[in-house]
Coordinates of all heavy atoms in Angstrom, one line a residue:
M1 N 1.0 16.5 -9.7 CA 2.0 16.1 -8.8 C 1.6 14.9 -7.9 O 2.3 14.2 -7.3 CB 2.5 17.2 -7.9 CG 2.8 18.5 -8.6 SD 4.0 18.3 -9.9 CE 4.0 19.9 -10.6
A2 N 0.3 14.8 -7.8 CA -0.3 13.8 -6.9 C -0.1 12.4 -7.6 O 0.1 11.4 -6.9 CB -1.7 14.0 -6.7
K3 N -0.1 12.4 -8.9 CA 0.0 11.1 -9.5 C 1.5 10.8 -9.9 O 2.1 11.6 -10.6 CB -0.9 11.1 -10.8 CG -0.9 9.7 -11.5 CD -1.8 9.7 -12.7 CE -3.3 9.6 -12.4 NZ -4.1 9.5 -13.6
T4 N 1.9 9.7 -9.5 CA 3.3 9.3 -9.8 C 3.2 8.1 -10.8 O 2.6 7.1 -10.5 CB 4.0 8.8 -8.5 OG1 4.1 9.8 -7.6 CG2 5.5 8.4 -8.8
A5 N 3.9 8.3 -11.9 CA 3.9 7.3 -12.9 C 4.9 6.2 -12.5 O 6.1 6.4 -12.3 CB 4.3 7.9 -14.3
A6 N 4.4 5.0 -12.3 CA 5.2 3.9 -11.9 C 5.7 3.2 -13.1 O 5.0 3.0 -14.1 CB 4.4 3.0 -11.0
K7 N 7.0 2.8 -13.0 CA 7.6 2.1 -14.2 C 7.8 0.6 -13.8 O 8.1 0.3 -12.6 CB 8.9 2.7 -14.5 CG 8.9 4.2 -14.8 CD 8.4 4.4 -16.2 CE 8.6 5.9 -16.5 NZ 8.2 6.2 -17.9
C8 N 7.6 -0.2 -14.8 CA 7.8 -1.6 -14.5 C 9.3 -1.9 -14.2 O 10.2 -1.3 -14.9 CB 7.4 -2.4 -15.8 SG 7.8 -4.1 -15.7
A9 N 9.5 -2.6 -13.2 CA 10.9 -2.9 -12.8 C 11.6 -3.8 -13.8 O 12.8 -3.9 -13.8 CB 10.9 -3.5 -11.4
A10 N 10.9 -4.5 -14.6 CA 11.4 -5.5 -15.5 C 11.7 -4.9 -16.9 O 12.7 -5.0 -17.5 CB 10.6 -6.7 -15.6
C11 N 10.6 -4.2 -17.5 CA 10.7 -3.7 -18.8 C 10.7 -2.2 -18.9 O 11.0 -1.6 -19.9 CB 9.6 -4.3 -19.7 SG 8.0 -3.6 -19.3
G12 N 10.4 -1.5 -17.8 CA 10.5 -0.1 -17.8 C 9.3 0.7 -18.4 O 9.3 1.9 -18.5
A13 N 8.2 -0.1 -18.7 CA 7.0 0.5 -19.3 C 6.2 1.1 -18.2 O 6.3 0.8 -17.0 CB 6.2 -0.6 -20.0
D14 N 5.4 2.1 -18.6 CA 4.5 2.7 -17.6 C 3.4 1.7 -17.2 O 3.0 0.9 -18.1 CB 3.7 3.9 -18.2 CG 4.7 5.1 -18.5 OD1 5.6 5.2 -17.7 OD2 4.5 5.8 -19.5
M15 N 3.1 1.7 -16.0 CA 2.2 0.6 -15.5 C 0.8 1.3 -15.1 O 0.8 2.2 -14.4 CB 2.7 -0.1 -14.2 CG 3.9 -0.9 -14.5 SD 4.5 -1.8 -13.1 CE 5.0 -0.5 -12.0
T16 N -0.2 0.7 -15.6 CA -1.6 1.1 -15.2 C -1.9 0.3 -13.9 O -2.4 0.9 -13.0 CB -2.6 0.7 -16.3 OG1 -2.2 1.3 -17.5 CG2 -4.0 1.2 -15.9
F17 N -1.6 -0.9 -13.9 CA -1.7 -1.7 -12.7 C -0.4 -2.3 -12.3 O 0.4 -2.7 -13.2 CB -2.7 -2.9 -13.0 CG -4.1 -2.4 -13.3 CD1 -4.5 -2.4 -14.6 CD2 -4.9 -2.0 -12.2 CE1 -5.8 -2.0 -14.8 CE2 -6.2 -1.6 -12.5 CZ -6.7 -1.6 -13.8
R18 N -0.1 -2.3 -11.0 CA 1.2 -2.8 -10.6 C 1.0 -4.2 -10.0 O 0.0 -4.5 -9.3 CB 1.7 -1.9 -9.5 CG 2.0 -0.5 -9.9 CD 2.6 0.3 -8.8 NE 1.7 0.4 -7.7 CZ 2.0 1.0 -6.5 NH1 3.2 1.5 -6.4 NH2 1.2 1.0 -5.6
Y19 N 1.9 -5.1 -10.4 CA 1.8 -6.4 -9.9 C 3.1 -6.7 -9.0 O 4.2 -6.3 -9.4 CB 1.8 -7.4 -11.0 CG 0.6 -7.4 -11.9 CD1 0.4 -6.5 -12.9 CD2 -0.5 -8.3 -11.6 CE1 -0.8 -6.4 -13.6 CE2 -1.6 -8.2 -12.3 CZ -1.8 -7.3 -13.3 OH -2.9 -7.2 -14.0
R20 N 2.8 -7.3 -7.9 CA 3.9 -7.6 -7.0 C 4.6 -8.9 -7.4 O 4.0 -9.9 -7.4 CB 3.4 -7.7 -5.6 CG 4.5 -7.7 -4.6 CD 4.0 -8.0 -3.2 NE 4.9 -7.5 -2.2 CZ 4.6 -6.8 -1.1 NH1 3.4 -6.4 -1.0 NH2 5.5 -6.4 -0.3
P21 N 5.9 -8.8 -7.8 CA 6.6 -10.1 -8.2 C 6.7 -11.0 -7.0 O 6.9 -10.5 -5.8 CB 7.9 -9.6 -8.7 CG 8.1 -8.2 -8.0 CD 6.7 -7.7 -7.9
M22 N 6.7 -12.2 -7.2 CA 6.9 -13.2 -6.1 C 8.3 -13.4 -5.7 O 9.2 -13.1 -6.5 CB 6.3 -14.6 -6.6 CG 4.8 -14.6 -6.8 SD 4.2 -16.2 -7.3 CE 2.5 -15.9 -7.5
E23 N 8.5 -13.9 -4.6 CA 9.9 -14.1 -4.1 C 10.5 -15.2 -5.0 O 9.9 -16.1 -5.4 CB 9.9 -14.6 -2.7 CG 9.4 -13.5 -1.7 CD 9.5 -14.0 -0.3 OE1 10.2 -15.0 0.0 OE2 8.8 -13.4 0.6
G24 N 11.8 -15.0 -5.3 CA 12.5 -15.9 -6.2 C 12.5 -15.5 -7.6 O 13.2 -16.1 -8.4
W25 N 11.8 -14.4 -7.9 CA 11.9 -13.9 -9.3 C 13.0 -13.0 -9.6 O 13.3 -12.6 -10.7 CB 10.5 -13.2 -9.6 CG 9.4 -14.1 -9.8 CD1 9.4 -15.5 -9.5 CD2 8.1 -13.8 -10.2 NE1 8.1 -16.0 -9.7 CE2 7.3 -15.0 -10.2 CE3 7.5 -12.6 -10.7 CZ2 6.0 -15.0 -10.6 CZ3 6.2 -12.6 -11.1 CH2 5.4 -13.8 -11.0
N26 N 13.7 -12.6 -8.5 CA 14.8 -11.7 -8.6 C 14.4 -10.4 -9.2 O 15.1 -9.8 -10.0 CB 16.0 -12.3 -9.5 CG 16.6 -13.5 -8.8 OD1 16.8 -13.5 -7.6 ND2 16.8 -14.6 -9.5
V27 N 13.2 -9.9 -8.8 CA 12.8 -8.6 -9.3 C 12.5 -7.7 -8.1 O 11.7 -8.1 -7.2 CB 11.5 -8.8 -10.2 CG1 10.9 -7.4 -10.6 CG2 11.8 -9.6 -11.4
S28 N 13.1 -6.5 -8.1 CA 12.8 -5.6 -7.0 C 11.9 -4.5 -7.5 O 12.1 -3.9 -8.5 CB 14.1 -5.0 -6.5 OG 14.8 -4.3 -7.5
G29 N 10.8 -4.3 -6.8 CA 9.8 -3.3 -7.2 C 8.6 -4.0 -7.9 O 8.5 -5.2 -7.8
F30 N 7.8 -3.2 -8.5 CA 6.6 -3.8 -9.1 C 6.8 -3.9 -10.6 O 7.6 -3.2 -11.2 CB 5.4 -2.8 -8.8 CG 5.0 -2.8 -7.4 CD1 5.5 -1.8 -6.6 CD2 4.1 -3.8 -6.9 CE1 5.1 -1.8 -5.2 CE2 3.7 -3.7 -5.6 CZ 4.2 -2.7 -4.7
I31 N 6.0 -4.8 -11.2 CA 6.1 -5.1 -12.6 C 4.8 -5.0 -13.3 O 3.7 -5.1 -12.6 CB 6.8 -6.5 -12.9 CG1 5.9 -7.6 -12.2 CG2 8.2 -6.5 -12.4 CD1 6.5 -9.0 -12.6
C32 N 4.8 -4.8 -14.6 CA 3.5 -4.7 -15.3 C 2.9 -6.1 -15.5 O 3.5 -7.1 -15.3 CB 3.8 -4.0 -16.7 SG 4.7 -5.0 -17.8
G33 N 1.7 -6.1 -16.0 CA 0.9 -7.3 -16.2 C 1.6 -8.2 -17.2 O 1.5 -9.4 -17.1
V34 N 2.2 -7.6 -18.3 CA 2.9 -8.4 -19.3 C 4.0 -9.2 -18.7 O 4.2 -10.4 -18.9 CB 3.4 -7.5 -20.4 CG1 4.2 -8.3 -21.5 CG2 2.2 -6.8 -21.1
C35 N 4.9 -8.5 -17.9 CA 6.0 -9.1 -17.3 C 5.6 -10.1 -16.3 O 6.2 -11.2 -16.1 CB 6.9 -8.1 -16.7 SG 7.7 -7.1 -18.0
Y36 N 4.5 -9.8 -15.6 CA 4.0 -10.7 -14.5 C 3.6 -12.0 -15.1 O 3.9 -13.1 -14.7 CB 2.9 -10.0 -13.8 CG 2.4 -10.8 -12.6 CD1 3.0 -10.6 -11.4 CD2 1.3 -11.7 -12.7 CE1 2.6 -11.3 -10.2 CE2 0.9 -12.4 -11.6 CZ 1.5 -12.2 -10.4 OH 1.1 -13.0 -9.3
T37 N 2.9 -11.9 -16.2 CA 2.4 -13.1 -16.9 C 3.6 -13.9 -17.5 O 3.7 -15.1 -17.4 CB 1.5 -12.8 -18.1 OG1 0.4 -12.0 -17.6 CG2 1.0 -14.0 -18.8
Q38 N 4.6 -13.2 -18.0 CA 5.8 -13.9 -18.5 C 6.6 -14.6 -17.4 O 7.0 -15.7 -17.6 CB 6.6 -12.8 -19.2 CG 7.7 -13.4 -20.1 CD 8.0 -12.5 -21.3 OE1 7.6 -11.4 -21.3 NE2 8.7 -13.1 -22.3
K39 N 6.7 -13.9 -16.3 CA 7.4 -14.5 -15.2 C 6.7 -15.8 -14.7 O 7.3 -16.8 -14.4 CB 7.5 -13.5 -14.0 CG 8.4 -12.4 -14.3 CD 9.9 -12.8 -14.3 CE 10.8 -11.7 -14.5 NZ 12.2 -12.1 -14.6
L40 N 5.3 -15.7 -14.7 CA 4.6 -16.9 -14.3 C 4.8 -18.0 -15.2 O 5.1 -19.1 -14.7 CB 3.1 -16.5 -14.3 CG 2.5 -15.8 -13.0 CD1 1.0 -15.5 -13.3 CD2 2.7 -16.7 -11.8
L41 N 4.8 -17.8 -16.5 CA 5.1 -18.8 -17.4 C 6.5 -19.4 -17.3 O 6.7 -20.6 -17.3 CB 4.9 -18.3 -18.9 CG 3.5 -17.9 -19.3 CD1 3.5 -17.2 -20.6 CD2 2.6 -19.1 -19.3
E42 N 7.5 -18.5 -17.1 CA 8.8 -19.0 -16.9 C 9.0 -19.9 -15.7 O 9.7 -20.8 -15.7 CB 9.8 -17.8 -16.8 CG 9.9 -17.0 -18.1 CD 10.8 -15.8 -17.9 OE1 11.4 -15.6 -16.8 OE2 10.9 -14.9 -18.8
H43 N 8.4 -19.5 -14.6 CA 8.6 -20.2 -13.4 C 7.7 -21.3 -13.1 O 8.0 -22.2 -12.3 CB 8.6 -19.2 -12.2 CG 9.7 -18.2 -12.2 ND1 10.9 -18.5 -11.5 CD2 10.0 -17.1 -12.8 CE1 11.8 -17.5 -11.7 NE2 11.2 -16.6 -12.5
Y44 N 6.6 -21.4 -13.8 CA 5.6 -22.4 -13.5 C 5.4 -23.4 -14.6 O 5.1 -24.5 -14.4 CB 4.3 -21.9 -13.0 CG 4.5 -21.2 -11.6 CD1 4.6 -19.8 -11.6 CD2 4.6 -21.9 -10.5 CE1 4.8 -19.2 -10.3 CE2 4.8 -21.3 -9.3 CZ 4.9 -20.0 -9.2 OH 5.1 -19.3 -8.0
I45 N 5.5 -22.9 -15.8 CA 5.3 -23.7 -17.0 C 6.6 -24.5 -17.4 O 6.6 -25.6 -17.8 CB 4.8 -22.9 -18.2 CG1 3.6 -22.1 -17.8 CG2 4.5 -23.8 -19.4 CD1 2.4 -22.9 -17.4
E46 N 7.8 -23.8 -17.1 CA 9.0 -24.4 -17.5 C 10.0 -24.5 -16.3 O 11.0 -23.8 -16.3 CB 9.7 -23.6 -18.6 CG 8.8 -23.4 -19.8 CD 9.6 -22.6 -20.9 OE1 10.4 -23.1 -21.5 OE2 9.3 -21.4 -21.0
P47 N 9.6 -25.2 -15.3 CA 10.4 -25.2 -14.1 C 11.7 -25.9 -14.3 O 12.7 -25.6 -13.7 CB 9.5 -26.0 -13.1 CG 8.7 -26.8 -13.9 CD 8.4 -26.0 -15.2
D48 N 11.8 -26.9 -15.1 CA 13.0 -27.7 -15.3 C 14.1 -26.9 -16.1 O 15.2 -27.1 -16.0 CB 12.8 -29.1 -15.9 CG 11.6 -29.1 -16.8 OD1 11.3 -28.0 -17.4 OD2 11.1 -30.2 -17.1
R49 N 13.6 -26.0 -16.9 CA 14.5 -25.2 -17.7 C 15.3 -24.3 -16.8 O 16.4 -24.0 -17.1 CB 13.7 -24.3 -18.7 CG 14.6 -23.6 -19.7 CD 13.7 -22.7 -20.6 NE 14.5 -21.7 -21.3 CZ 14.0 -20.6 -21.9 NH1 12.7 -20.5 -21.9 NH2 14.8 -19.8 -22.5
R50 N 14.6 -23.8 -15.7 CA 15.3 -23.0 -14.8 C 16.5 -23.7 -14.2 O 17.5 -23.2 -13.9 CB 14.3 -22.5 -13.7 CG 15.0 -21.7 -12.7 CD 14.0 -21.1 -11.7 NE 13.0 -22.2 -11.2 CZ 12.2 -22.0 -10.2 NH1 12.2 -20.9 -9.5 NH2 11.4 -23.0 -9.8
G51 N 16.3 -25.0 -13.9 CA 17.4 -25.8 -13.3 C 18.5 -26.0 -14.2 O 19.7 -26.0 -13.8
I52 N 18.3 -26.1 -15.5 CA 19.3 -26.4 -16.5 C 20.2 -25.1 -16.7 O 21.4 -25.1 -16.7 CB 18.7 -26.8 -17.9 CG1 18.1 -28.2 -17.7 CG2 19.8 -26.8 -19.0 CD1 17.2 -28.6 -18.9
T53 N 19.5 -24.0 -16.8 CA 20.2 -22.7 -17.0 C 20.5 -22.0 -15.7 O 20.5 -20.8 -15.6 CB 19.4 -21.8 -17.9 OG1 18.1 -21.5 -17.3 CG2 19.1 -22.4 -19.3
K54 N 20.8 -22.8 -14.7 CA 21.1 -22.2 -13.4 C 22.3 -21.3 -13.4 O 23.3 -21.8 -13.9 CB 21.2 -23.3 -12.4 CG 21.2 -22.8 -10.9 CD 21.2 -24.0 -10.0 CE 21.0 -23.5 -8.6 NZ 21.0 -24.7 -7.7
K55 N 22.2 -20.1 -12.9 CA 23.3 -19.2 -12.9 C 24.1 -19.2 -11.6 O 23.5 -19.1 -10.6 CB 22.8 -17.8 -13.2 CG 22.2 -17.6 -14.6 CD 21.6 -16.2 -14.8 CE 21.0 -16.1 -16.1 NZ 20.3 -14.8 -16.3
Ligands
ZN101 ZN1 7.0 -4.9 -17.7

């Protein structure tokens, strides 16, 4: 009961390590390393794509 399984807020997978999403990612809660890396790539490697597909 002491251990609470945390789920990734983005993909729902069990997380061994929790990563705190940065502001502007539109993610509430913690995310897994895979999603964290993916978000980093989306927001920093392809910044102009975000501008084109602005919602
Ligand atoms: Zn995830």
